[in-house]
Amino acid sequence: MENFINSLPKPVLAILAIIIGIFVFMLINPPHTVCDTQASTFKETQAGNIFPTVVKKNKIPPAIVRAKEACQLGNSAGSCYEYFMVLKKVADDVGKASSECTAQLYNITEVKSALNDGIELMARLAWGIKPPEPGLERFGWMQEAEIAVFCRLKSVYLRANGEEAWAALRKKVAAKLPGEEVPFSSDPAQATVEPKKATEMLAEQDIWNRSLFSVRCEAF
């Protein structure tokens, strides 16, 4: 091999060296695509919202951390308003991406975590501590504004991941929903009893009928 290389004319060796150099450079620094540009713009827009910011070398947690905690503790339209608005802005900004770039933006770690967690938390808040009745009760305290946010999250999720992934997410959330309410007991042994899951007590279709996932988003 060495003899072969040495036998090549210097101009040919120079050309080979340039080609190899270009190839190595492209491996180390792949071309910047349109989707990369959209992802970069998205990250700038969402700085402070779902991405932390740095002020004087201090890392400031994004707004979604505080907003989510307030929503979980308060469990009401007022306490969840900021959190839902954060989720809506994330979904809206992902939705602005071109169709071929939606999946890349959605799969940014912070985006995927924010929207998947948001969908799950909204479904669990609407469900409550025991299975609601089918009908309006399945929305819990949520009104049109909150349901519209859920539908926006669903729309962006479907666009990025498809129907099969949505069905898988719905089943994953359903497996965490309580199937019964455990009454308070002063008996320590009873206090540690975990309620049965909805999947242990209800059929899949029945869970769907009682959950936020069954909302007709065409109306929103």
Side-chain angles (χ1 to χ4, degrees):
M1 184 66 179
E2 184 177 349
N3 291 335
F4 172 73
I5 293 174
N6 290 332
S7 68
L8 292 174
K10 288 185 178 179
V12 175
L13 285 173
I15 293 171
L16 285 174
I18 291 171
I19 292 174
I20 292 171
I22 292 173
F23 179 73
V24 171
F25 178 81
M26 291 184 68
L27 281 178
I28 298 173
N29 300 286
H32 202 70
T33 66
V34 173
C35 293
D36 291 333
T37 301
Q38 292 185 21
S40 179
T41 301
F42 173 85
K43 289 178 181 179
E44 291 176 9
T45 304
Q46 289 291 329
N49 206 40
I50 62 170
F51 297 103
T53 54
V54 178
V55 178
K56 295 181 179 178
K57 297 183 180 181
N58 294 318
K59 193 173 183 180
I60 311 300
I64 193 170
V65 175
R66 181 190 67 256
K68 181 181 179 182
E69 183 178 352
C71 179
Q72 290 174 307
L73 291 173
N75 192 7
S76 67
S79 61
C80 291
Y81 177 79
E82 183 184 1
Y83 179 56
F84 290 172
M85 289 303 99
V86 169
L87 294 176
K88 182 178 183 300
K89 179 167 176 52
V90 176
D92 286 346
D93 286 353
V94 173
K96 291 175 185 175
S98 54
S99 57
E100 65 270 20
C101 298
T102 304
Q104 180 173 325
L105 263 66
Y106 200 104
N107 283 306
I108 295 171
T109 301
E110 292 83 354
V111 177
K112 189 172 186 178
S113 175
L115 297 186
N116 285 19
D117 288 353
I119 290 167
E120 177 176 331
L121 182 55
M122 291 190 79
R124 296 179 73 169
L125 290 174
W127 183 274
I129 59 175
K130 63 179 181 179
E133 293 298 320
L136 293 178
E137 191 179 325
R138 75 188 190 279
F139 301 140
W141 50 258
M142 294 184 189
Q143 301 297 316
E144 288 187 7
E146 291 80 26
I147 298 170
V149 172
F150 180 82
C151 286
R152 182 62 179 141
L153 301 186
K154 176 183 178 180
S155 174
V156 171
Y157 187 98
L158 286 171
R159 181 179 169 188
N161 305 294
E163 291 281 355
E164 287 188 13
W166 176 255
L169 177 63
R170 175 172 57 81
K171 290 180 180 179
K172 178 183 175 183
V173 175
K176 300 178 182 180
L177 300 175
E180 61 178 353
E181 179 182 1
V182 175
F184 173 78
S185 174
S186 57
D187 182 351
Q190 291 295 323
T192 58
V193 173
E194 286 288 330
K196 290 184 178 180
K197 299 298 183 183
T199 49
E200 299 177 72
M201 305 184 70
L202 300 170
E204 182 179 341
Q205 183 64 41
D206 199 10
I207 294 174
W208 186 83
N209 289 337
R210 296 167 186 261
S211 76
L212 188 57
F213 286 100
S214 65
V215 63
R216 294 178 62 86
C217 283
E218 311 90 76
F220 299 91

